Amino acid sequence: MDAIYTQTIRLKNLRTLIERGVFAIPELQREFVWSAGKACALLDSIYRNYPIGTILIWKTHRRNEGQLRKKFHILPLFNSANQHILFLIDGQQRLSVLWHFLRGEPSTVKNADGKVVDFGKIYFDPYSVNGTSLFSHRNRVPSELVGRLVPVVDLLSPSWRRRIGRHGARAIKRIEDCRRCVLNYQAILEYCETDVRSEVRETFIRINSLGMRINAADKAFARASKLDLRSNVREAQGLLKHGFDKVQRTTILQTMALSLGIRDLGERAIESMITKLETQEKERVRFDRAWPKLRRALATATDFFVYDLGVPSFEFLPSEPMLVILTLFFYHNENARPSRAVKRRLRQWFWATAVAARYTGRGYRPNIISDAVFAEKLASNANARASLKVSVPIHNVLRTEYGRPGPLSNAFLCLLRLNRPRYLEDGSEIPLGEISNRGNQNEKHHIFPRGLLSKYGIGPEKFNSIANICYLVARENQSVGQRAPKSYMQDVPRSAHARALALRSHYIPLLKEGKGILDRSVKRGFKTFVKERAWALARAFEHECVMRLFERS
């Protein structure tokens, strides 16, 4: 480094610097990732005059303007009339949050995870007492707090007295104190002057490895000086539909690495890819040519999940690395539609991997690497087979809770949707649009109601088992209430044929009178029913997979 020095500056003067457009975001920096909660915590530290860390700046000449990133951040753009560029190496998140407060106007931004941060809904409570939060984010202000909370952007506005509303003398004094504490807080800026870009990149990585760790994706973006991988990844995410745009950036980078022949996973694989692309021009040229095809393969894979494998959206995907493997297949298959024989192989791979949770635990690394090889072979040979050594204990079905996303629970929900579930009351099909939200609990029905089972001492780990869950719309749940299945099954539907059709659509076994769901004893009936239902689901999974998946005693 040519020179390192520090400067302290009050936040009210820092606002002027930001407005002048002297700060810039370098390509190596990550995007805005903070949440509203972190913004509140920052304000609380400033109010209490706690240190918030230095803001590290790379001061350089205009000739390094090519390192400037003009998108994926929430600060004012760099003003090219400035003689020097002040690149933010550390402190972008803090400075971005401060700017949106100090400007004194409500603003809404999206962070890199797609979550909305509404700065106009972050409040200061001048009436708070010991033990209550001074700063909070609220999408809706409860009626008892209306007129009590003050938006921070109003408090920091030049016309703050007019905007804060009417308050008592004590509250006004606390508002004045808060405004003064924030505007007069002294931030520490640390400047590093150098024209050697490699020094800046290494500084960024070292700082973030010691403090708030950056993930593998941001580290890769920082390392890659000869490729704009960040834009590539964001471009690919932007093309994905059905919620798949929420796929992790590291998943796309992992797909890139495997497509380049790197047989490894995780950060090590991504680092190997960056090294190869940074040091070998031939590999960069190869990647530039292959990227459009790989990007298209990602979109083709998501469509195949939705329209051919029955995964309605990203939140139902049993395991995210599945997207990597299917993308690799379409990449090597030149994005062509697979034949019937190849579709059968892909369905077998999908259901076996989901039900057996092959991409978790000890099987994570060897299974994904093995399946990457399988995907490449399958593109040229319809007889290629994945190494599917699967033997799932039936108690895995009994122990899997529907509310916890995971390979088996997500596969279960996909399986039910594929079977075109029907209303119990008349046997007509439930519109798929009504059962397309993974997190909506109103779409799911406890066959043995949880309130009823709780009365008999049966806990949530049993009554929330997927073996006790089916799809039903909310109005039917309300009509069932806490009644035992033997009781509510007599009401809907009147036709025995329609009833059997509806029960089969949910894989609910038709047991004999006095057993399972028709047993007078709730505890005994539930115990018998979940075992029978677990095996009904097991057979259904095996039918879809066209192979044995579960252990037989």
Side-chain angles (χ1 to χ4, degrees), residues 395-414:
H395 64 71
N396 281 15
V397 176
L398 295 168
R399 292 177 181 177
T400 297
E401 296 184 33
Y402 80 102
R404 295 183 179 180
L408 184 52
S409 62
N410 281 14
F412 160 74
L413 295 174
C414 291

Side-chain angles (χ1 to χ4, degrees), residues 125-284:
D125 184 358
Y127 299 89
S128 65
V129 294
N130 292 337
T132 61
S133 300
L134 287 166
F135 299 93
S136 62
H137 173 262
R138 298 176 183 271
N139 285 319
R140 297 181 64 181
V141 177
S143 57
E144 65 270 17
L145 295 180
V146 173
R148 166 174 167 164
L149 301 181
V150 179
V152 174
V153 291
D154 288 349
L155 183 152
L156 296 176
S157 167
S159 54
W160 65 281
R161 289 191 181 276
R162 178 173 53 83
R163 291 169 60 172
I164 63 171
R166 301 181 68 177
H167 295 274
R170 185 175 297 178
I172 289 291
K173 185 178 185 309
R174 292 194 75 182
I175 292 170
E176 290 174 342
D177 287 346
C178 179
R179 176 180 166 83
R180 183 174 60 255
C181 287
V182 173
L183 294 180
N184 290 330
Y185 185 86
Q186 300 233 12
I188 302 173
L189 309 184
E190 186 167 3
Y191 294 86
C192 302
E193 292 189 5
T194 180
D195 287 331
V196 182
R197 284 177 286 181
S198 60
E199 290 183 347
V200 177
R201 289 181 180 276
E202 187 60 28
T203 300
F204 172 77
I205 292 169
R206 290 191 183 195
I207 285 174
N208 284 280
S209 66
L210 293 171
M212 181 181 173
R213 287 189 64 84
I214 57 174
N215 60 28
D218 286 309
K219 189 177 288 189
F221 300 149
R223 290 278 190 202
S225 61
K226 298 178 180 178
L227 285 170
D228 189 0
L229 288 181
R230 186 190 303 275
S231 292
N232 288 341
V233 169
R234 287 295 294 264
E235 180 185 27
Q237 287 175 315
L239 294 174
L240 302 182
K241 301 175 182 177
H242 315 292
F244 279 84
D245 57 330
K246 296 183 179 67
V247 64
Q248 294 184 61
R249 297 172 299 170
T250 48
T251 298
I252 297 177
L253 290 171
Q254 180 67 74
T255 309
M256 291 177 179
L258 287 168
S259 72
L260 291 173
I262 295 170
R263 293 292 178 252
D264 203 352
L265 298 180
E267 190 169 340
R268 191 168 58 189
I270 295 170
E271 283 290 323
S272 297
M273 176 184 71
I274 298 301
T275 300
K276 181 184 274 192
L277 294 175
E278 287 290 297
T279 58
Q280 301 177 34
E281 186 177 356
K282 188 177 179 180
E283 288 297 323
R284 287 199 301 276

